[in-house]
Amino acid sequence: MKLSLVIPCYNEEGNVEKFFSEVNRVFNSKVSDYEFVFINDGSKDKTYQKLKQLYNNHHNESNIQVLTFSRNFGKEAAMYAGLSKAEGDLVCIIDADLQQRPEVVLEMLDVLNSDEELDCVAAYQQSRKESKTLSAFKSAFYKLINKISDVDFVNGASDFRLMKRVMVDAILQMSEFHRFSKGLFSYVGFNTKYIPYEVAQRESGESKWSFSKLFKYALEGIFAFSTAPLKLATFIGIFSSVCSILYLIVVVIQKLAFGIDVPGYATIVVLLLLIGGLLLFCLGIIGEYLSKMYVQVKNRPVYILKEHLKKDNQG
Ligand code: UDP
Ligand code: MG
């Protein structure tokens, strides 16, 4: 069975060669038929040159494909492109920075081969090598999204996973523009086994994930896999209506029974601001969904290929 490695690369000039040689060293005599599908996701450093060199030097003895995007489209788009060009019966998504060791891929292969029923083996980080705040934030995100979405999200599971062809084809059928792989993997179903793995140190360069990027990504996940925020508007509306009716009754009784004129200026200003704020908040939520629909309806491609290097398919 042929194994395809899908490797998204964005500014990974210091890693791609090392990645290539490490995989060859680890796979040597253990995996016989495998291909590399590198996706150069609009890198601004020398990743393209390094990949081209790798291709030119090795494409006769190794199976290498190099996809180059016309600009940076993001890891989600890179994975989608890689999955659609991968030719293996098994496909593994793996980072270029060697944080996800090729040894773990062998482990995944063993697990997958040991049980015919399995369609996918995914790795999850047992212990996170990151700050407590970030860890807490991520756990809170998983709790929230699992509550408000029908799809199961596993805390710590990354995109690092080995899949059978049936599952890859199912994922490719979902050609949506706003991709959130963690959700797509669960959405398509199939028997998945999670195995723990240790994240290694990054070989070279730095992570592209900042806190604000992660936050945006988390929101993306919520908007892509749940419509619960839309219902929030309904609940806020019902709640504030009930409150205002109760308050109205109180005011009428005060006036009629006790003759108290309720001094209202401050209350009115505060309430106006509160209701205005809530209305805008709910409009904003609707806007989020609407903007995503707007982009989706335009039906633009998820990525644009500038070059596809592959044996018998130059250019
Ligand atoms: N990546 C990509 N496009 C992007 C950002 C990242 O293809 O816009 C790739 C990157 O080259 C790496 C993988 O996605 O192979 C994971 O990125 P990174 O190592 O920055 O994330 P982390 O490991 O810190 O979660
Ligand atoms: Mg990394």
Side-chain angles (χ1 to χ4, degrees):
M1 282 224 274
K2 184 169 173 171
L3 166 69
S4 296
L5 294 177
V6 168
I7 314 132
C9 308
Y10 177 55
N11 294 346
E12 303 283 5
E13 60 179 4
N15 294 323
V16 285
E17 280 163 333
K18 184 87 195 290
F19 177 88
F20 181 73
S21 59
E22 274 295 287
V23 169
N24 285 330
R25 183 184 65 78
V26 173
F27 281 12
N28 182 25
S29 78
K30 295 206 177 76
V31 187
S32 51
D33 193 8
Y34 56 96
E35 70 163 346
F36 295 86
V37 185
F38 289 102
I39 304 96
N40 173 29
D41 181 15
S43 300
K44 294 185 178 70
D45 62 356
K46 298 236 164 358
T47 306
Y48 173 71
Q49 285 81 345
K50 296 274 179 195
L51 285 174
K52 191 152 187 168
Q53 200 179 19
L54 204 71
Y55 177 82
N56 287 335
N57 294 342
H58 298 281
H59 75 277
N60 283 323
E61 81 273 1
S62 305
N63 288 316
I64 307 182
Q65 297 191 47
V66 179
L67 311 175
T68 300
F69 285 179
S70 59
R71 63 168 169 86
N72 178 252
F73 280 88
K75 187 184 178 190
E76 292 288 341
M79 289 192 289
Y80 183 60
L83 290 179
S84 59
K85 303 292 180 202
E87 290 174 346
D89 311 293
L90 299 173
V91 181
C92 179
I93 301 175
I94 182 167
D95 287 355
D97 54 13
L98 285 168
Q99 283 192 291
Q100 303 172 338
R101 298 290 313 167
E103 286 85 351
V104 183
V105 180
L106 292 182
E107 213 180 302
M108 289 176 171
L109 277 170
D110 282 343
V111 175
L112 196 72
N113 289 331
S114 69
D115 185 351
E116 243 178 56
E117 303 273 294
L118 285 178
D119 303 299
C120 171
V121 181
Y124 71 92
Q125 294 179 49
Q126 212 164 21
S127 55
R128 283 209 160 104
K129 287 182 187 155
E130 58 197 16
S131 72
K132 282 220 166 76
T133 340
L134 192 59
S135 246
F137 175 75
K138 285 188 179 173
S139 301
F141 164 72
Y142 280 104
K143 259 194 203 131
L144 174 72
I145 197 159
N146 274 320
K147 222 174 223 150
I148 62 176
S149 143
D150 299 334
V151 179
D152 271 340
F153 291 81
V154 176
N155 190 355
S158 57
D159 305 313
F160 184 26
R161 58 181 63 220
L162 178 71
M163 293 172 277
K164 283 188 178 161
R165 176 48 56 188
V166 268
M167 181 161 171
V168 175
D169 288 343
I171 289 171
L172 287 175
Q173 274 181 16
M174 286 185 285
S175 54
E176 61 211 63
F177 189 84
H178 294 281
R179 307 188 68 76
F180 188 74
S181 285
K182 287 182 181 40
L184 295 178
F185 291 138
S186 315
Y187 183 85
V188 292
F190 294 99
N191 291 330
T192 302
K193 180 159 183 176
Y194 291 90
I195 60 168
Y197 86 110
E198 278 283 318
V199 180
Q201 281 294 332
R202 207 171 211 288
E203 267 297 310
S204 148
E206 54 189 41
S207 168
K208 279 103 206 164
W209 291 100
S210 59
F211 188 80
S212 67
K213 259 189 158 178
L214 271 178
F215 189 72
K216 261 170 88 179
Y217 187 65
L219 284 184
E220 190 92 7
I222 291 175
F223 288 124
F225 279 92
S226 169
T227 48
L230 281 174
K231 294 184 188 112
L232 204 64
T234 321
F235 288 123
I236 294 178
I238 294 174
F239 181 72
S240 63
S241 307
V242 171
C243 286
S244 60
I245 290 170
L246 288 179
Y247 190 58
L248 182 79
I249 296 172
V250 172
V251 172
V252 170
I253 292 176
Q254 276 181 333
K255 173 80 185 157
L256 292 183
F258 308 106
I260 307 171
D261 257 338
V262 186
Y265 176 70
T267 330
I268 287 173
V269 170
V270 170
L271 282 180
L272 262 180
L273 284 177
L274 179 72
I275 290 171
L278 287 178
L279 278 176
L280 285 178
F281 177 67
C282 295
L283 266 182
I285 291 177
I286 297 172
E288 281 292 332
Y289 286 94
L290 195 69
S291 68
K292 292 205 160 39
M293 275 163 62
Y294 174 62
V295 175
Q296 180 67 47
V297 163
K298 282 198 271 194
N299 223 353
R300 290 198 175 145
V302 177
Y303 61 89
I304 294 171
L305 261 191
K306 183 172 165 192
E307 186 184 58
H308 185 184
L309 292 176
K310 186 186 169 197
K311 223 173 171 178
D312 312 317
N313 175 26
Q314 293 276 341

